[in-house]
Amino acid sequence: MALKDVEVKKKMNQFLYTVVLLAFSLPIITGFSLLILSSFSNEMVTNFDFLKTFLTLQNWKLLFQGRIALTGGLRENILLYAFNTLIVALGVAVLTTFVGTISGYAISRMNFKGRKILLIMMLLLHALPGSVLIVGVYFLYRVSMPTNYQFIRYFSFFYVIIARAALEVPFSVWLMKGFFDMLPWEVEWSAIVDGASRWKVWYRIMLPLIKPGVVAVLIFGFLAGWQDIIYVRTFLIDKTLATFIESNLETEVAYMPLLAAAATFYLLPTVLFYVFSQQLLFKVYAGGIRR
Amino acid sequence: MLRVLVLLALLMSVVILAATLQDGIISVGQTLARNGVTEVRYSVWASGDPNSVIRVQGIVEAARRINKIWAEKGVNLKITVRETRYELDFTQMYQEFLSKQPLGTAGDFLVNSYVYIASLAEEGYLLDVSKYVAKYKEFTEDFYSSMLNAAKYKKGIYGLPQDTEARPLFIRKDIAKKIGFDLTDLDKKVAQGVFTWQDVYNWSKESVSKGASEWGLIHRRGSAHPDLMQFILAFSGTLYDPVDDKLVLNKEAVLKWLNIEWTFAREKLLPSDIMAWDWAKQVHPAIVSGKTLFDIGGTWYWTEWQTKSYYTDPKTGQARGLTPEEVEQWFYYTLFPAGEPGRSPVTLSQPFMWMINSKAGSQNPKYSVLKETYDELAFLIAAKACDPDINAIHSIISAHLPVGKSPAALLADKKWLDDLYEMKIDLDESVKKVLTDIVKATVHPINAKFLTDVAYMLEYTNFPPMHPMYPKLAAIFAEVVDYVLRGQMAPDKALDYIISKINADLDLKESVKIVEKALPSSSCPAL
Amino acid sequence: MPRVVKKFDSRMIEPWAFVAPALIIVLIFYFLPMILTIYTSFTPLRNWNISRYAHQIVGWRNYQRLLHAILNDPSVRAVFLTTFVFVSVTLTVNVLGGLLLALLNFFLGKKSSSLINTIWLLPRMAPIAVYALVWYYFFHGSKMGTLNSLLLKIGVISQPISFGQEFLPLGPWSVIVFVNGLVGVSFGLIVLSSAINSIPSEYLIAARVDGATDWQICRRVLIPQIKWHLMYVTTWQLLSLLTSYAHTYLLVSWKLVNKTYASPWALYVYDLAFTGVFDQGLAAAAGTVLVIVGGFLGWFTLKILGFDKLMGQPRGDL
């Protein structure tokens, strides 16, 4: 509940708080706005120097034509890269949600030996740096690679998705556990007494009840997969938007407004997703750590 | 055992019979066709500035030319380039190649700086083509001899020269005129060691104090390597000793270099924060708008200033590229002057190489049985990509220097240039499509003349060391030159810092020898 | 509750069937790589050349080289200092910042809080490459940089400052704390905001009726009520910060910040493995050390917080 439910707010305080808030938020607003603006300009406008600049759609035209510079370069298929990024993101989303939901249910609902250790482990795994893991993950990739060339490309997608989703599993398990914790026991109890298996209960009864939670974890997983750069760079054979930007950000020869357009394009789903699912995200983050 | 002997005999006979490329192509094609192969697929990874697409298209065109030869000789085989990849950041591409080669997912051809040959060859990631170079002697004789040397590592040859450049000192003719700096025959004076950095300093001071230019000198940002290594060479220092395969830290030369950076920055002849400058918004615009008298640049700047909009036209207020005439009118170029009287001028080249993955073609049928043949085919494709006209096209459109005598001759051929401008050269249609707009923007007799005229610098050229530990040393230089420029570290302290950093890293300590005085002459190969 | 003896066996296995996928994934992509990394730290692996170096054991050489570097290389020593400063300062920023924003959220009401959340979630949700690009231009050390041009325009400075490269070590430290702080604040914001929202209204009504000011409400009601959540946020963020490097590595590779003073331990490990001479053996050694420290810190923090409080018993069982 908010304070306004209780009484009339003091106007002076309100004003002060708003000003403070705006001041703190200014860097973020400025930084992102200028980048997006630059993608519509003939040069980077990050220094408020608008004298020689004019708005243009040229950068976006070039981007979708697959150019990496004003002249030269090969034609890249930016939509294909977006599609590749999408596959990774969806894969991570689905896998993380699935794993988190079933594990979260069990930990929330069932008492079994090792439950406590499991939860502690999930928390501590969060302390393992990705940069350390990656040498080992690469080793594993090398060792498990199929020899048939036809399959390698699919394998690389497969591997990236599972490896990246793995990094989100501890978090998603904790989160879903928290959501399940919020649900009353009665509905489940009656279903079990009637003879339903745990799986049926989970699927038919519990899942629909925490739909918002499931959707939220899907979104988190999607965004984690969408923004990944390290794993995708190391393991994926195809390019995603992240690797496309990073491998062409050579400040000596790059035409930066074009890259700003690529960055804005890359940013788009992020903005879309959470603008529309804001309240949901809030509930999720908080719900996950309720006791 | 018998099979091994037979194979060995066959190999030796193949090597002994020196051949032309054409013969080799036909023979290899017939071998593959005989074994039931109808299609071979290769992938190309290349990187660099946007106009250097020949690094990919050269292979595509080479494949087409080989397919044509096979078709004419009735060989039922064709090459398909299954993947092409071109990125701007060549360091990134090297990192990717490094991690993906052991997995077998890296490109079959890699076109990148020769400097990476050391590490890649050391790990066995590249194909050693020395026996093919020996076999196809005629073809390799056209290269400038120093070029092929740059691809050598230990006892093998790991690439074919793709292009090179030089690093001239550019001087603004209009500013020079304002301060009475006579540029007549200056390039000869620099070449003779008569005009040195002492003079550069004096004229810089003159220009800035008279208000003729804002700065006296501009140079690269971000790292000391490669451009600034010329200072060390210009003081007769060296970076590498091939005798004991060690990197060299020449205290005298390094100190003198840092003194120049320090002095120029303190006297405001060179921006103290230049290491953080932005290429597109600051470095090039400053040079192009006449804000500096001297610039330590690269031969590719000549065309870059024409294709990018660094210049603000004072009449219209619009940003645009320079015309070839303007570049010629405003810029004079010389070698990198000697550090002080008694030393020699230098320049620095970082050739790019056609490199072949040691696993090249491994996705093709019967690879394990026919590996030798596939290897030779990969070499032949790269060799065909070195065709004089392909190299000449690359030179003119990307403003790099040609790597051999034949491509250099084509650049001086006006008729050929005209044909190129009209796209009347015999090229694959897809290649033509990619090249058309670049050609229109860069092919111009003035530009071609520049490339021909500047080629003399290759006689004075040096190559940065191809030692696996060199990147670490280069990183230390990069760090230190920034401290010195900003005034955070005086040159003598900086030198001590460099030495302490070398000693702090066990690998570097083993690989670097520290020398007090400059050696009498530079030990790097020239033409 | 009555026990259904019939399904005894399956009930014992059942929970494990549910957690099996998570366990398998964690085993394969956390534990196995960890073991492989520790193994690699005893090999001379470099340039990803597994087939050549993976079966050569060089004993403690990598650790010796690491120790030598720590003792002799001033920039490696700087990494320790940077890690300590980075983690502690950013943690404070994240927790206090999150708290501040959550409180402001509370006092400002629904419409404003919607906007706040949108803006402050952006750093966390934006793709890393894009996020790094934004700050590359913001902190650029020339007059092209956003911050520089602003300060120049209002006359605070006369020359552009290279925030990431000057005033070592404070300059680079400030930049990386800022960049990572903005990402971390959102976590605290969300958790604490929801925590505040779930405080029973009776407490607040009572406080207002007593004539409490906003500040007194914070001190007496809000903060005490969300103590547990504050502890949770602190723990989670502490562990996150020890292992974070993604948002910083691009800024280092684009040379916005001085490498020595912008590299916490996790980034130092990444740097060893992915740049320079690609020394994965040494990186593995440095990484193993980090894991030991991180694991210890995590365990220690849990002990202090009292882990049982975080867990609670399962909701229902037969």
Side-chain angles (χ1 to χ4, degrees), chain A residues 44 52 67 69 71-73 76 138 141-142 145 149 233-234 236-237 239 246-248 250-253, chain B residues 49-51 53 86-89 92 95 99-100 102-103 105 220 279 281 308 312 362-363 437-438:
Chain A
M44 296 305 283
K52 289 185 247 163
R67 315 284 295 249
T71 58
E76 315 261 342
Y138 178 90
Y141 186 54
R142 169 73 194 270
M145 215 167 202
Y149 280 106
R233 197 163 77 118
T234 315
L236 200 63
I237 292 177
K239 283 206 217 178
E246 206 195 343
S247 61
N248 286 309
E250 219 286 359
T251 47
E252 200 165 323
V253 294
Chain B
D49 65 283
N51 284 349
V53 284
Y86 194 79
E87 289 162 8
L88 299 181
D89 192 335
Q92 278 271 356
Q95 291 174 359
S99 70
K100 296 206 163 145
L103 303 171
T105 60
R220 71 160 294 128
W279 283 107
K281 282 217 147 190
K308 296 269 181 69
T312 311
S362 54
Q363 296 193 15
D437 58 344
I438 314 175

Side-chain angles (χ1 to χ4, degrees), chain A residues 106-257:
Chain A
I107 295 178
S108 168
R109 284 344 213 194
M110 309 179 206
N111 197 359
F112 54 97
K113 234 197 218 170
R115 174 178 173 270
K116 195 167 159 194
I117 297 176
L118 202 62
L119 266 181
I120 296 180
M121 187 178 73
M122 291 294 171
L123 188 67
L124 286 180
L125 282 178
H126 193 64
L128 277 182
S131 60
V132 170
L133 286 179
I134 204 160
V135 177
V137 179
Y138 178 90
F139 215 112
L140 202 60
Y141 186 54
R142 169 73 194 270
V143 162
S144 61
M145 215 167 202
T147 43
N148 188 329
Y149 280 106
Q150 307 285 53
F151 296 140
I152 284 187
R153 222 166 141 208
Y154 300 119
F155 179 74
S156 78
F157 268 106
F158 183 67
Y159 195 83
V160 164
I161 289 173
I162 302 187
R164 188 60 184 88
L167 294 181
E168 301 296 314
V169 158
F171 178 64
S172 110
V173 166
W174 264 88
L175 222 50
M176 294 316 289
K177 166 194 172 303
F179 263 99
F180 281 115
D181 282 348
M182 292 194 302
L183 296 177
W185 171 236
E186 292 72 42
V187 181
E188 208 176 343
W189 169 232
S190 43
I192 294 178
V193 161
D194 282 349
S197 73
R198 284 283 202 176
W199 287 100
K200 261 221 184 88
V201 170
W202 172 77
Y203 185 68
R204 287 270 163 75
I205 300 174
M206 304 305 277
L207 223 49
L209 284 177
I210 54 160
K211 259 212 194 88
V214 171
V215 172
V217 177
L218 272 170
I219 292 173
F220 274 125
F222 182 91
L223 288 173
W226 182 262
Q227 69 158 237
D228 183 66
I229 185 159
I230 307 280
Y231 274 35
V232 148
R233 197 163 77 118
T234 315
F235 303 115
L236 200 63
I237 292 177
D238 298 79
K239 283 206 217 178
T240 66
L241 289 171
T243 48
F244 171 72
I245 292 176
E246 206 195 343
S247 61
N248 286 309
L249 224 154
E250 219 286 359
T251 47
E252 200 165 323
V253 294
Y255 178 56
M256 289 311 290

